[in-house]
């Protein structure tokens, strides 16, 4: 009985137009997006961008995907003694009216297993995925970036 009620409630929630209208991606604006140009033989690259939350409620970025790479992960850098290392992170919280800056040496969208060599000045499509399942797709130019210590 309880399970049935729960199932019914979930079905109603899935059908509710409010679920779609209040999507986290609706209040998102992306600035300064770009993908690091890498040599043709490089297996990986990274995308950098500023995610602005223009909404009155917090949002959480939980992932991304792109046709460019087999695997796309959110990464951050942590200090390990003298060395900065990358690690995968589960998500990035952005408060109402705040922004998250993904930049070299810090948080980034990691593109793992590039399917083909990156082309300078081409445009890469990357889809950001939020905690409620809503998505925001951006077009990011591929540009050379000064290498950081750890990439
Ligand atoms: Cu990384």
């Amino acid at each position: 009985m309880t399970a049935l009620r729960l199932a019914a409630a979930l079905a109603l929630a899935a059908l509710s137009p409010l679920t779609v209208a209040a999507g986290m991606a609706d209040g998102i604006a992306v600035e300064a997006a770009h993908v690091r140009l890498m040599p043709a033989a490089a297996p990986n690259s990274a995308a950098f961008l500023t995610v602005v939350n223009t909404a009155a409620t917090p949002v959480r970025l939980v992932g991304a995907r792109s046709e460019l790479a087999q695997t796309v992960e959110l990464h951050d850098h942590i200090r390990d003694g003298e060395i900065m290392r990358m690690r995968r992170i589960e998500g990035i919280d952005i408060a109402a009216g705040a922004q998250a800056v993904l930049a070299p040496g810090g948080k980034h969208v990691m593109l793992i297993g590039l399917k083909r060599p990156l082309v300078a000045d081409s445009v890469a499509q990357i889809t950001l995925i939020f905690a409620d399942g809503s998505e925001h797709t951006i077009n990011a130019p591929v540009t050379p970036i000064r290498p950081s210590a750890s990439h």
Side-chain angles (χ1 to χ4, degrees):
M1 195 64 161
T2 308
L4 277 175
R5 279 198 192 138
L6 180 60
L10 288 172
L12 280 175
L15 289 171
S16 167
L18 284 174
T19 309
V20 175
M24 288 179 176
D26 293 350
I28 291 302
V30 173
E31 299 170 357
H34 53 288
V35 170
R36 183 198 298 272
L37 178 65
M38 296 293 285
N44 307 323
S45 185
F48 307 100
L49 58 150
T50 299
V51 185
V52 183
N53 179 13
T54 65
T57 50
V59 300
R60 180 172 171 82
L61 180 64
V62 295
R65 66 168 184 272
S66 173
E67 288 299 307
L68 283 181
Q70 283 161 7
T71 303
V72 182
E73 296 179 349
L74 299 177
H75 277 197
D76 198 359
H77 283 88
I78 52 165
R79 182 170 291 281
D80 179 7
E82 297 289 298
I83 305 164
M84 294 297 284
R85 294 187 191 279
M86 288 195 301
R87 67 178 177 120
R88 187 180 183 184
I89 54 175
E90 294 301 318
I92 300 170
D93 289 300
I94 312 166
Q99 63 184 33
V101 178
L102 282 66
K107 295 184 177 72
H108 53 280
V109 176
M110 192 77 196
L111 304 167
I112 302 169
L114 294 171
K115 293 178 181 176
R116 52 192 174 274
L118 295 172
V119 177
D121 301 321
S122 64
V123 173
Q125 207 169 68
I126 296 170
T127 298
L128 305 175
I129 305 165
F130 293 87
D132 63 350
S134 60
E135 299 180 347
H136 183 101
T137 297
I138 57 166
N139 292 312
V142 177
T143 57
I145 299 171
R146 189 168 44 86
S148 70
S150 52
H151 259 102

